[in-house]
Amino acid sequence: MSRHIKRVPAILTLAGLLLLLNGCSIVRLGYDNGSHLAWWWLDGYVDFDRGQTPLAKQAIRDWFDWHRSTQLPVYVTWLSDVRNQIDGPLTEAQVCRWSEELQDILMPAFDRAAHLGAPVALSLGEAQWKYLEKRYVKSNDKLRRKYLQPDPDDRLAAAVKRTIRRIENLYGSIDGEQRMLIVSGIEASPFDPQAWLVERQRRQHVTLSALRRIVIESVSVENAVAELRQLIEHTHRSDDTSYRAYQQKLSEYTCGFMVRMHNSTTPMQRQHAYDKLKKWEQDLRVLIDDRQNIENRLQIVAE
């Protein structure tokens, strides 16, 4: 993946990956139940039949076992590095570098998902493809309601509310001047929800076509893995040159916006962010230790 794709600020990206911006206990609870949540989410999109269900559930369990033991330590190291640099002003180069680093450390998780998901994708049929197509329509309608309000003032207000919630989850409560900074930042942002929706729909069409093709053509598992990897790559870095240029422009602007936002924060707000990242680190370390303790107990039993 190109090191120039920085879709959103690094810290907020990992926050989304952890499925929370609240207390540390929720991190552990969410991750410990991650395989069940992932199954619920995937089944909601595909509607696996009785024969596909065991294969899909096993792939999900295998992914989480692999991820806990190999990837969480990498996230801990990255979080620690970022945490130790946020007590003072930041530069655009720092924030963009963090985003580049984060894209790199997240890619193995996507790659592993392609590897484990290929046999599942090859088991799908017309019923699942039609269900996925309908689910795409439903999710696109939800996106329109959330990001494409007909009234420009309503759209701006919704964007401001979303951004404030994300910023305050990391830094704590903001003041009036910081709120105005957010408003002006959103007003100047190149973010285009309509372009995003059009690209999203195009990618969904490509995904459905690829899923049908690999089954109809009875491709090998290795070729199916390659197809899934390409779908993932183009989701992050569009194969449409004009949209890719837009992605680059937006990511560069977002880096600058996050720098202005961070540099407006007080020592107390930066301490809040520091404590937040430290809690995430601690939770991830607990998850890693839990896995190691289980493996140690199994080893003792085996001996």
Side-chain angles (χ1 to χ4, degrees):
M1 176 173 294
S2 168
R3 290 181 62 82
H4 297 289
I5 298 302
K6 306 174 284 290
R7 301 180 65 201
V8 290
I11 295 173
L12 299 185
T13 301
L14 191 58
L17 178 72
L18 297 176
L19 302 177
L20 69 100
L21 278 165
N22 291 306
C24 58
S25 61
I26 301 179
V27 176
R28 297 197 295 269
L29 178 62
Y31 196 91
D32 282 336
N33 291 279
S35 60
H36 299 294
L37 295 173
W39 160 254
W40 174 82
W41 183 83
L42 285 173
D43 189 50
Y45 266 87
V46 179
D47 192 26
F48 295 107
D49 64 29
R50 186 174 299 177
Q52 296 157 346
T53 294
L55 182 65
K57 286 186 173 181
Q58 186 60 54
I60 292 170
R61 286 193 295 268
D62 289 346
W63 185 90
F64 272 91
D65 287 343
W66 166 85
H67 190 263
R68 185 191 292 254
S69 62
T70 67
Q71 301 304 294
L72 294 189
V74 180
Y75 301 164
V76 167
T77 299
W78 184 83
L79 279 170
S80 179
D81 289 343
V82 171
R83 174 172 57 83
N84 290 325
Q85 298 178 59
I86 62 172
D87 58 338
L90 298 177
T91 66
E92 288 189 32
Q94 280 178 290
V95 174
C96 287
R97 185 179 69 253
W98 290 340
S99 293
E100 291 169 0
E101 292 170 351
L102 185 56
Q103 292 293 341
D104 287 343
I105 68 175
L106 292 181
M107 277 311 297
F110 292 116
D111 188 73
R112 188 70 172 182
H115 176 77
L116 293 172
V120 180
L122 288 170
S123 76
L124 302 180
E126 191 63 36
Q128 285 76 44
W129 301 329
K130 288 183 177 179
Y131 193 90
L132 178 58
E133 189 171 17
K134 292 179 180 179
R135 190 63 177 81
Y136 278 154
V137 171
K138 184 177 180 179
S139 67
N140 291 337
D141 288 341
K142 183 177 180 180
L143 184 149
R144 288 188 188 92
R145 293 193 299 271
K146 188 173 181 179
Y147 291 92
L148 283 163
Q149 296 84 351
D151 186 287
D153 291 338
D154 291 341
R155 188 179 300 183
L156 175 62
V160 169
K161 183 178 180 180
R162 285 194 303 271
T163 306
I164 289 176
R165 182 173 64 250
R166 293 166 183 165
I167 294 296
E168 289 192 331
N169 275 326
L170 184 61
Y171 290 104
S173 298
I174 63 172
D175 60 28
E177 290 186 6
Q178 290 168 328
R179 179 185 174 86
M180 292 306 300
L181 177 62
I182 290 173
V183 173
S184 62
I186 292 174
E187 290 176 331
S189 172
F191 175 59
D192 183 348
Q194 183 61 48
W196 178 31
L197 176 60
V198 170
E199 172 70 5
R200 176 188 174 98
Q201 291 173 315
R202 186 182 74 85
R203 294 303 315 156
Q204 290 168 347
H205 176 74
V206 170
T207 298
L208 283 166
S209 297
L211 292 175
R212 282 190 167 98
R213 186 177 65 257
I214 63 175
V215 173
I216 292 172
E217 296 179 359
S218 299
V219 306
S220 66
V221 173
E222 291 77 12
N223 287 337
V225 171
E227 289 276 359
L228 294 180
R229 284 171 173 163
Q230 186 175 69
L231 289 174
I232 293 169
E233 163 70 13
H234 289 164
T235 297
H236 290 279
R237 185 176 187 268
S238 177
D239 55 334
D240 180 88
T241 55
S242 61
Y243 192 81
R244 191 162 65 245
Y246 160 75
Q247 283 181 310
Q248 178 65 21
K249 181 180 180 181
L250 176 59
S251 62
E252 290 173 352
Y253 179 86
T254 304
C255 282
F257 170 75
M258 283 305 299
V259 167
R260 293 189 294 275
M261 191 70 238
H262 175 85
N263 291 347
S264 77
T265 56
T266 65
M268 183 177 296
Q269 289 170 327
R270 292 177 189 179
Q271 183 65 46
H272 188 281
Y274 180 96
D275 293 341
K276 178 73 68 172
L277 296 183
K278 188 173 183 178
K279 286 180 180 179
W280 292 344
E281 284 179 54
Q282 292 170 340
D283 273 356
L284 294 182
R285 291 184 191 279
V286 169
L287 288 169
I288 295 168
D289 290 342
D290 286 347
R291 175 64 179 180
Q292 291 174 341
N293 289 336
I294 291 173
E295 291 177 347
N296 290 338
R297 287 196 295 269
L298 290 175
Q299 180 65 31
I300 292 173
V301 171
E303 293 175 351

